[in-house]
Amino acid sequence: AYGSNKLFVRGVDDFRDHVQAVRAKMSGEVNDIQRLFLAGGNIFGLSTKRIIKYLDIVASEFRSQNIRQVGAFGRTDGYLKKSVRELRSLVRNNLRMAYWGIETGADSILQYTDKGCTHDEMVEAGKKLSKTDMKVSVMLMPGLGGLKFYEDYVVETARLMNRIRPRYITFLTVTPQPGSRYTQLM
């Protein structure tokens, strides 16, 4: 999903230094911050204990601001690894918005694009999230399966949205890179 980018996880001390540097760069604008975002492709894949350490740092460094919520990207496998209890503890620690890269609900396209999960696994993850107070924003990619999978995309993605009922839906465009595996498949 991330090409040649290598996975790295900031250590707790490195994360604290990063947050302090960001805060310092913002200078006077820091007082206007109401929401924060923990960057990364799947923060929910980390241990709950580690995520809470990051959230504690955010709370400490921005204690004078009125931070309403912290958000983060997640993938289906990350949500599936968490128990409802763990997800609730993250919400209690102010991680209140999950941005979920679903792309499609069609198993044919999930397999075709090597997404690494199924429609039913997304339903299971959605059920866990629905048992918490975490807001969920899903990202969909209409056209992902091209004309070959058009009907599958529409029917199965609508069925998935009706089953998981996210609070927000964002539509992203598909821009195949020339020479990529995806372009070759298309």
Side-chain angles (χ1 to χ4, degrees), residues 42-142:
N42 189 18
I43 197 145
F44 293 89
L46 299 174
S47 74
T48 302
K49 192 176 189 177
R50 182 175 213 137
I51 298 169
I52 289 174
K53 285 180 184 178
Y54 294 158
L55 293 168
D56 287 345
I57 291 168
V58 167
S60 172
E61 293 298 325
F62 290 93
R63 68 181 161 275
S64 63
Q65 282 68 43
N66 184 24
I67 304 299
R68 292 191 331 239
Q69 79 180 19
V70 177
F73 278 126
R75 291 174 49 101
T76 302
D77 63 336
Y79 300 127
L80 289 174
K81 288 178 185 174
K82 301 283 179 229
S83 67
V84 171
R85 185 177 184 179
E86 287 177 293
L87 291 168
R88 286 178 178 159
S89 73
L90 294 173
V91 173
R92 281 193 304 276
N93 283 277
N94 209 18
L95 183 52
R96 296 193 178 128
M97 176 64 94
Y99 296 93
W100 186 3
I102 283 180
E103 283 78 65
T104 180
D107 282 331
S108 58
I109 302 170
L110 292 168
Q111 183 177 4
Y112 178 67
T113 57
D114 224 359
K115 183 69 176 161
C117 64
T118 67
H119 179 108
D120 289 340
E121 288 170 332
M122 287 190 270
V123 170
E124 183 182 340
K127 284 180 182 177
K128 281 185 179 183
L129 288 165
S130 73
K131 293 177 182 174
T132 73
D133 288 330
M134 193 173 293
K135 295 179 218 164
V136 177
S137 177
V138 301
M139 290 162 280
L140 300 177
M141 297 179 81

Side-chain angles (χ1 to χ4, degrees), residues 171-183:
F171 297 98
L172 304 173
T173 59
V174 177
T175 309
Q177 297 300 309
S180 69
R181 182 171 173 256
Y182 178 76
T183 302

